[in-house]
Amino acid sequence: MKELMKIRVEPPGVTCGDPPEKFCSLDNPYLCSDECDASSPDLSHPPQLMGDRERGGLVTYWQTVTWSRFPEPLLANVTLSWNKTLETTDDIIITFESGRPSALVLDKSLDRGQTWQPYQFYADDCLETFGMFPKKVSDLSPSNLTRVICTEEYSQWVGAKEEKQVVFEVRSRFSVLAGPKLLNMDSVWTRLDSSPGLRDFFSFTDLRLRLLRPALGGTYVQKDQLLKYFYAISNVQVPARCKCNLHASRCLLQDSALVCDCDHFTTGADCERCRQGFTRQPWRAGSYLPLPQGAANICETLTSAHGACECNDHSNRCSFIDFLEVVTCVSCKHNTRGTKCHLCRLGYYRNDSVPMSNEQACTECRCDPVGSMSSICSETGACPCKTGTTGRRCDSCLPGYNWRERGCAENICDEDQLLCQNGGTCMDFTKCSCPSNYTGSFCEQELCLETEGCSQEATDSAPQPFMATPLYLMLFLLLTRHAPS
């Protein structure tokens, strides 16, 4: 995992080379010919050299400034981050190039660096440095396997060139359960499956090295030779795998981030929940038991049990749309539609007087084909009416409109849609019935009787008199008497 880790060192300026600085060897404090210079590629020692691949025997390493500011302690933190929960599978090994620190703490975080807890303490004198009695992993038992210990095994001075590695012993902790040669791994799987705390112990999102005191060469701090005290790390080895709760067989690198390639219909950064539509039962992590195959604990879809479909009694079949991660009802009946048959089909509206599960939950709109603009009504059943038309189904006319073959139209009496004037009323869509003092096809002419005064305009526009015969006068009187008022 070292090629995917992000490295951060603190405090700022703790990396050597700015300004350039001489440093000496612990084996020979009078040999101070080496130099660290950040401006020179051959003499610089940036943090990323802790995680690079070393080829051809050339050793590259990160290095701090020397302990030239005594009596202030030379402190430095190295934080390794993956932005993903990992599970360590073997020993974590840190290789130092100038002697192992005489005091060091390995911390871990399970929440991306928000909180930290110690993984292991390292010192040449545990009792003096941390107030803890020294222990080895072999001193542990299955009941206290997750105990945080202080060890002196990786801090004693035996020569800078001979011993360079500091180890967090994962394999040795497994051997407490599985035996020295790890022949009984079934015991490890059984304990991991039954103990969530043990799984969490081997899990982390970040690691942090707290460098508290550099290698002293087996002596006390020599204040006149501070240039030989510093930290230098050439390699960090972190054998681990993505933690996917046994619901994935691999991790993918997407947008520079590790992502579980989740199986078993799970989802999430660590495959820690069931996908939508596969929640028939609570999510469970994959299991090592029963041995040897274990159990996948696959998330189950709602369609895996009869009657599990949530379709308001309008369907008993569901389908999972994979790319949308949605479960939808299939073949909704009783004029319903939607993922849960919870909506009405187009051309139907919700009957609020009955529950949605009722067969009569959706009522046909029945919009009048002549008076409405569409056969689709609103949620309340109102149809979209044409001009002059009203009613829920658009089958009635507003005042001032009459029903025609094409719907409601204004009071008109011919194909040119001319209006009856001066208070006239259209009769049978064929003629205007005029008031007593108007005449004409559309009641457009004022009728002037001898007993009434007429305006000059009306007189001029009235028909010219002609010689009346007795028969004409009789017909005129009869028409006048029976004309509607």
Side-chain angles (χ1 to χ4, degrees):
M1 285 292 175
K2 73 175 185 178
E3 295 180 358
L4 300 171
M5 66 187 179
K6 306 294 183 183
I7 305 174
R8 185 178 76 253
V9 298
E10 297 171 312
V14 75
T15 300
C16 69
D18 187 15
E21 184 179 9
K22 294 282 187 180
F23 56 94
C24 306
S25 169
L26 267 175
D27 292 333
N28 186 352
Y30 303 101
L31 180 62
C32 301
S33 58
D34 293 326
E35 183 180 2
C36 180
D37 186 351
S39 64
S40 171
D42 295 331
L43 299 178
S44 62
H45 299 282
Q48 58 265 30
L49 296 182
M50 284 184 275
D52 67 334
R53 287 192 174 187
E54 299 173 342
R55 297 181 176 89
L58 178 64
V59 177
T60 59
Y61 52 92
W62 165 74
Q63 183 174 315
T64 69
V65 297
T66 62
W67 197 351
S68 58
R69 294 190 295 265
F70 189 85
E72 294 182 9
L74 181 57
L75 304 178
N77 288 345
V78 178
T79 303
L80 313 174
S81 302
W82 288 268
N83 196 30
K84 175 76 182 71
T85 307
L86 304 180
E87 293 177 317
T88 182
T89 57
D90 209 331
D91 294 345
I92 297 173
I93 302 174
I94 302 99
T95 303
F96 289 83
E97 280 302 312
S98 63
R100 299 175 297 189
S102 58
L104 161 68
V105 181
L106 175 63
D107 294 328
K108 75 162 187 173
S109 174
L110 277 169
D111 53 14
R112 292 171 170 80
Q114 297 184 46
T115 60
W116 295 90
Q117 60 193 73
Y119 230 173
Q120 191 153 304
F121 295 90
Y122 302 84
D124 55 1
D125 190 327
C126 286
L127 192 59
E128 179 184 356
T129 305
F130 297 114
M132 303 171 65
F133 289 101
K135 283 189 177 296
K136 297 182 179 180
V137 175
S138 58
D139 298 329
L140 300 177
S141 65
S143 61
N144 64 358
L145 188 60
T146 60
R147 181 177 179 179
V148 177
I149 64 172
C150 179
T151 179
E152 297 176 352
E153 189 173 355
Y154 301 102
S155 303
Q156 299 289 346
W157 174 255
V158 291
K161 294 182 180 180
E162 288 77 10
E163 297 292 342
K164 298 183 177 182
Q165 293 182 340
V166 172
V167 182
F168 178 71
E169 299 167 295
V170 174
R171 182 176 288 266
S172 294
R173 291 188 186 251
F174 284 160
S175 68
V176 174
L177 298 173
K181 296 184 179 181
L182 300 180
L183 298 178
N184 185 20
M185 285 303 293
D186 287 358
S187 176
V188 176
W189 309 139
T190 301
R191 183 60 66 94
L192 286 172
D193 199 77
S194 59
S195 176
L198 189 60
R199 283 193 183 184
D200 288 343
F201 180 80
F202 293 110
S203 303
F204 55 86
T205 59
D206 304 76
L207 295 175
R208 181 175 66 183
L209 300 173
R210 281 192 283 149
L211 307 173
L212 304 180
R213 190 169 63 240
L216 302 180
T219 65
Y220 292 102
V221 176
Q222 298 174 319
K223 299 181 181 180
D224 58 340
Q225 297 179 5
L226 297 181
L227 293 181
K228 70 178 181 178
Y229 302 128
F230 54 87
Y231 304 104
I233 299 177
S234 62
N235 189 52
V236 177
Q237 181 177 334
V238 185
R241 64 185 178 194
C242 288
K243 183 175 182 178
C244 302
N245 288 291
L246 301 183
H247 287 307
S249 59
R250 61 174 181 168
C251 253
L252 304 177
L253 192 62
Q254 294 182 358
D255 299 326
S256 301
L258 286 168
V259 179
C260 288
D261 187 16
C262 297
D263 293 326
H264 309 154
F265 305 109
T266 61
T267 187
D270 300 337
C271 305
E272 75 278 8
R273 64 182 184 275
C274 290
R275 286 160 59 178
Q276 184 178 357
F278 289 84
T279 55
R280 182 180 168 231
Q281 59 184 7
W283 173 91
R284 289 191 299 162
S287 175
Y288 293 106
L289 302 177
L291 299 172
Q293 289 85 7
N297 294 331
I298 299 174
C299 291
E300 293 189 33
T301 177
L302 295 175
T303 59
S304 61
H306 295 293
C309 287
E310 299 177 4
C311 300
N312 288 291
D313 295 335
H314 300 301
S315 176
N316 57 5
R317 295 173 53 212
C318 290
S319 176
F320 180 74
I321 304 176
D322 186 72
F323 71 96
L324 294 177
E325 294 191 357
V326 170
V327 173
T328 181
C329 296
V330 176
S331 301
C332 294
K333 300 177 182 178
H334 312 134
N335 303 307
T336 62
R337 64 181 178 90
T339 57
K340 297 183 179 180
C341 300
H342 61 296
L343 303 173
C344 292
R345 288 173 50 196
L346 298 180
Y348 291 80
Y349 67 97
R350 178 75 173 87
N351 180 7
D352 291 328
S353 63
V354 297
M356 190 64 217
S357 58
N358 192 286
E359 293 185 6
Q360 305 300 324
C362 293
T363 302
E364 188 177 3
C365 295
R366 297 181 61 194
C367 298
D368 190 284
V370 176
S372 64
M373 295 184 293
S374 171
S375 61
I376 302 173
C377 59
S378 68
E379 294 180 356
T380 60
C383 298
C385 296
K386 295 179 180 177
T387 302
T389 312
T390 187
R392 188 195 67 77
R393 298 178 53 218
C394 304
D395 54 358
S396 301
C397 293
L398 292 170
Y401 289 81
N402 286 323
W403 190 267
R404 299 292 295 269
E405 292 182 358
R406 297 181 180 178
C408 295
E410 292 181 288
N411 267 340
I412 55 175
C413 276
D414 73 342
E415 294 180 355
D416 293 332
Q417 299 185 350
L418 297 175
L419 298 177
C420 295
Q421 303 176 22
N422 299 310
T425 302
C426 183
M427 303 295 292
D428 299 327
F429 305 105
T430 57
K431 64 179 180 179
C432 291
S433 176
C434 302
S436 60
N437 55 338
Y438 287 92
T439 188
S441 299
F442 303 101
C443 307
E444 77 279 7
Q445 296 179 357
E446 185 177 2
L447 184 61
C448 195
L449 301 177
E450 293 181 358
T451 58
E452 300 177 359
C454 299
S455 64
Q456 183 63 39
E457 180 180 355
T459 304
D460 294 341
S461 62
Q464 296 297 320
F466 57 92
M467 184 62 66
T469 64
L471 180 58
Y472 170 80
L473 291 175
M474 186 179 295
L475 290 173
F476 176 79
L477 291 174
L478 288 173
L479 288 173
T480 303
R481 178 179 300 173
H482 293 286
S485 59

